[in-house]
Amino acid sequence: MKASTIFTVIALVGLVGLVPTASYSAHDDVPDPAQIARGAKAWAEQCGRCHNIRSPSELTDEEWLVSTTHMRVRGNIPGNVIRDIQAFLRSSNKKE
Amino acid sequence: MTHKRKLFSAVCLIVFVAAMAALPTHSAWSQEPTNKQLLERIEALEAELRQLRDLLLANKETAEQAKERAEAAETKALEATKTAQAVKSKSSYPSIPDTIWHLAGYATAGAEFRTKADEWEFGGLQFNPGFHFQYKDLVIFEAELEIEVEEDGETEFELEYSHFDILLHDYATLVVGKYLSPVGQFQERLHPSWINKLSNAPAGFHHDGAQPASEVGVQLRGGVPIGERSTLTYVFAIGNGPRMGHEGNPEFEGFGGDDNKNKAFGGRIAILPVPYLEIGGSFWKGKLEGIEGPGDLLPTSAFAKVWGVDAAFTRNAFDMRFEYLKNTRGPINSFDEDHGEVEMLEKLSLEAWYAQIAYRLPQLGNASFTEKLEPVFRYGEFRVEGSHHLEEQAHRRYNIGLNYWMAPSAVARVGLEIRRFFEEEIANETLIQLQVAYGF
């Protein structure tokens, strides 16, 4: 396949992706209890797939935000699932 | 009598009266009512209708009042929630800055006994600091260094990966930079020592094996939920592509430049029917240029192709994995340093696979100690066809290990490894491995 064709396809798909489909408000959202519950379940199901499940108390809110976003990319986990997990972690990890 | 009943009877009455009025009155035996009687009936009906109208009006009023009251209550509830949220966000969720970062990575140290050397050696020293910087939920930059102490005391320094992840939307991220190869599962997700269940990579999954290491280019990747429990994940990637190694093997080592006009491309698609089962398929294809040397004969080019399948089952105390990769390169003319001339290299095929099972022991009796133990077994093969030098490395590998988990990401492990080479003249080898690994 020609490189230019591949580039075009990737660029097109990427552009389609630029149309925002969800709000990215993990930074200022306040989690509601239903989201925390969903997050706890997703945490248990997703975060032990590649390595041992880490303890919520290992990192601060901020560090968890970075690390879970890192895992969203590495683990191909949908963004909404990651936001639920972040909500769960904020409610259960150690406070600064 | 309830309102409904009254209304119903009234309607019935009206309909009845109307019907009666419409009916031709030729019944021979009906008694003709007197005018007075009719008048009385009409008056009675009128009175009833008036009553009904009043009732209806009263009802309407109450409904409107109730609606108003409900609306007022709702506004109040909303205000209350808002205030509560403001208070809550001030107290338990300290405001988070736009840029946040995290220092991560892992470190490894160990010792090994090899029957061939017949001595113990300290080694396997590695420090892999990882850096992650995130701007809101828009972009994250991640990089990892690999700092390794070599046998000769030199420190080797390598940029393992360094890329931007632009979060396009929930199901797509654009990755730009040097990234770990998305082909298969070992390289991208299992190789860090605190994740790997044993001290080293399976046969053929190390550098110079069948597994591509990294690439410089772009990726589009993400996960799309399908229904309640399933997910489809994808990685489409393109990059500078592989280069010829000195043994004629394609090297997929994330070259920062391209030696031809052809870009390598491929990726991985996986399905998780349930979160604890993942089945993936990978593909990668790139063009190789033969190494140029002195003389008239020119090198030619050939394609290097990799395909593979992988599976992971991670449920409760079990962690089971399987991975198969086949890496082939077509015939190619390339400069051979040993013979000082351009040589025609035949088709090369590298094949590697492993199956691994790890089981985290339960608590036995009162001893919580056993919960920290995880026995591991792995069997793998690395097969080579088409390069004498590489064929010498082809072998079966048996591993038995025991992990002692001090923390979810800190482990001390001991392992036994047996290598049985396919070439008969190469002696088999046994290794005893000790390792400490910590991911942070």
Side-chain angles (χ1 to χ4, degrees):
Chain A
M1 205 195 303
K2 262 198 168 167
S4 52
T5 331
I6 307 171
F7 267 127
T8 322
V9 171
I10 291 192
L12 273 177
V13 180
L15 277 178
V16 171
L18 279 175
V19 181
T21 56
S23 69
Y24 306 111
S25 43
H27 268 74
D28 38 45
D29 256 6
V30 173
D32 71 278
Q35 191 182 21
I36 294 172
R38 280 201 310 272
K41 189 161 171 268
W43 158 268
E45 285 179 348
Q46 299 288 335
C47 302
R49 286 205 280 117
C50 300
H51 46 68
N52 285 338
I53 207 153
R54 313 265 297 233
S55 160
S57 61
E58 272 189 43
L59 303 178
T60 61
D61 281 351
E62 259 177 60
E63 288 170 332
W64 269 127
L65 267 186
V66 185
S67 198
T68 45
T69 312
H70 184 209
M71 289 306 115
R72 164 177 170 177
V73 180
R74 187 66 66 95
N76 300 317
I77 302 171
N80 56 318
V81 177
I82 287 295
R83 280 194 298 278
D84 291 349
I85 292 173
Q86 288 168 343
F88 159 71
L89 283 167
R90 281 206 229 175
S91 72
S92 60
N93 73 343
K94 76 165 188 242
K95 294 286 169 252
E96 282 171 287
Chain B
M1 223 200 262
T2 65
H3 298 163
K4 266 193 194 158
R5 271 211 197 149
K6 268 191 189 165
L7 202 72
F8 183 63
S9 357
V11 171
C12 285
L13 211 75
I14 293 167
V15 172
F16 180 72
V17 170
M20 292 314 271
L23 272 180
T25 52
H26 44 211
S27 138
W29 56 89
S30 61
Q31 274 190 339
E32 289 281 305
T34 60
N35 277 351
K36 196 179 163 233
Q37 276 174 325
L38 276 174
L39 213 73
E40 272 171 10
R41 263 197 230 163
I42 286 169
E43 272 169 6
L45 272 171
E46 270 178 357
E48 212 160 324
L49 267 175
R50 228 175 292 126
Q51 253 183 352
L52 269 169
R53 207 182 47 217
D54 289 350
L55 240 158
L56 273 173
L57 276 174
N59 268 350
K60 204 178 154 204
E61 238 163 62
T62 6
E64 261 162 18
Q65 275 167 2
K67 202 178 150 211
E68 265 168 33
R69 244 180 274 141
E71 276 171 358
E74 207 182 341
T75 329
K76 268 193 202 141
L78 265 175
E79 272 168 21
T81 327
K82 269 189 203 152
T83 331
Q85 281 183 345
V87 172
K88 219 170 150 194
S89 64
K90 274 200 189 111
S91 59
S92 45
Y93 303 111
S95 65
I96 288 163
D98 290 347
T99 287
I100 44 180
W101 60 279
H102 180 215
L103 192 58
Y106 58 97
T108 322
E112 195 172 67
F113 177 84
R114 280 175 173 244
T115 44
K116 267 186 190 164
D118 196 24
E119 65 168 338
W120 277 96
E121 223 175 45
F122 291 106
L125 261 180
Q126 225 174 303
F127 171 41
N128 289 47
F131 307 84
H132 312 129
F133 299 88
Q134 183 179 351
Y135 186 83
K136 289 190 177 170
D137 272 355
L138 294 173
V139 64
I140 171 165
F141 170 77
E142 47 171 305
E144 191 172 293
L145 298 172
E146 183 161 287
I147 308 168
E148 222 175 330
V149 179
E150 299 292 297
E151 269 180 45
D152 59 6
E154 291 282 307
T155 298
E156 198 183 293
F157 205 77
E158 202 184 315
L159 188 60
E160 269 257 296
Y161 61 77
S162 167
H163 51 88
F164 297 90
D165 308 331
I166 301 159
L167 307 168
L168 300 176
H169 60 87
D170 277 3
Y171 312 138
T173 300
L174 189 72
V175 175
V176 186
K178 179 177 178 182
Y179 50 80
L180 294 174
S181 171
V183 171
Q185 63 175 326
F186 189 79
Q187 178 63 359
E188 198 185 72
R189 36 183 74 183
L190 302 177
H191 87 270
S193 54
W194 69 273
I195 300 179
N196 193 4
K197 299 285 185 196
L198 290 157
S199 301
N200 55 8
F205 285 80
H206 44 76
H207 292 262
D208 294 342
Q211 160 94 68
S214 52
E215 188 55 86
V216 175
V218 293
Q219 290 183 350
L220 188 74
R221 63 187 296 157
V224 186
I226 307 171
E228 272 288 293
R229 302 273 287 157
S230 314
T231 316
L232 177 86
T233 74
Y234 66 90
V235 184
F236 300 121
I238 170 168
N240 284 333
R243 288 196 187 187
M244 275 287 279
H246 283 286
E247 304 305 336
N249 56 311
E251 282 182 350
F252 301 84
E253 305 272 345
F255 296 100
D258 201 350
D259 62 348
N260 57 24
K261 288 203 174 113
N262 187 279
K263 294 280 165 286
F265 69 94
R268 177 173 179 271
I269 290 185
I271 176 103
L272 290 97
V274 279
Y276 50 84
L277 177 67
E278 178 166 6
I279 298 162
S282 313
F283 178 75
W284 194 252
K285 183 180 176 183
K287 204 175 187 181
L288 280 175
E289 300 300 325
I291 299 169
E292 241 173 283
D296 299 336
L297 265 172
L298 286 178
T300 56
S301 51
F303 277 103
K305 272 185 233 165
V306 187
W307 70 269
V309 286
D310 58 80
F313 177 88
T314 44
R315 197 170 197 205
N316 304 330
F318 282 101
D319 184 303
M320 295 196 263
R321 305 200 179 254
F322 168 81
E323 186 165 356
Y324 171 90
L325 281 181
K326 180 154 180 144
N327 182 331
T328 50
R329 185 219 63 214
I332 188 169
N333 283 346
S334 183
F335 181 68
D336 178 353
E337 275 174 3
D338 294 342
H339 299 94
E341 59 189 32
V342 169
E343 246 189 359
M344 161 80 175
L345 302 175
E346 59 177 313
K347 184 181 167 184
L348 175 72
S349 146
L350 310 168
E351 203 178 11
W353 71 270
Y354 67 86
Q356 174 185 291
I357 175 165
Y359 176 71
R360 189 74 177 258
L361 293 184
Q363 184 172 347
L364 294 179
N366 282 338
S368 64
F369 172 78
T370 53
E371 275 182 315
K372 296 179 174 170
L373 294 177
E374 184 186 46
V376 188
F377 177 75
R378 179 165 78 196
Y379 173 76
E381 287 182 4
F382 178 42
R383 289 176 182 269
V384 181
E385 255 176 66
S387 153
H388 183 65
H389 182 83
L390 290 171
E391 277 167 24
E392 286 177 356
Q393 296 173 21
H395 67 278
R396 295 176 206 283
R397 194 184 282 191
Y398 302 84
N399 287 86
I400 303 175
L402 185 65
N403 289 323
Y404 174 76
W405 290 100
M406 300 176 266
S409 65
V411 64
R413 57 169 63 107
V414 49
L416 177 77
E417 178 169 309
I418 297 166
R419 298 179 182 182
R420 294 190 181 281
F421 290 87
F422 291 117
E423 298 256 303
E424 277 174 11
E425 57 271 27
I426 300 180
N428 295 333
E429 202 179 4
T430 304
L431 293 82
I432 301 168
Q433 298 145 328
L434 302 175
Q435 189 181 56
V436 185
Y438 174 32
F440 30 82

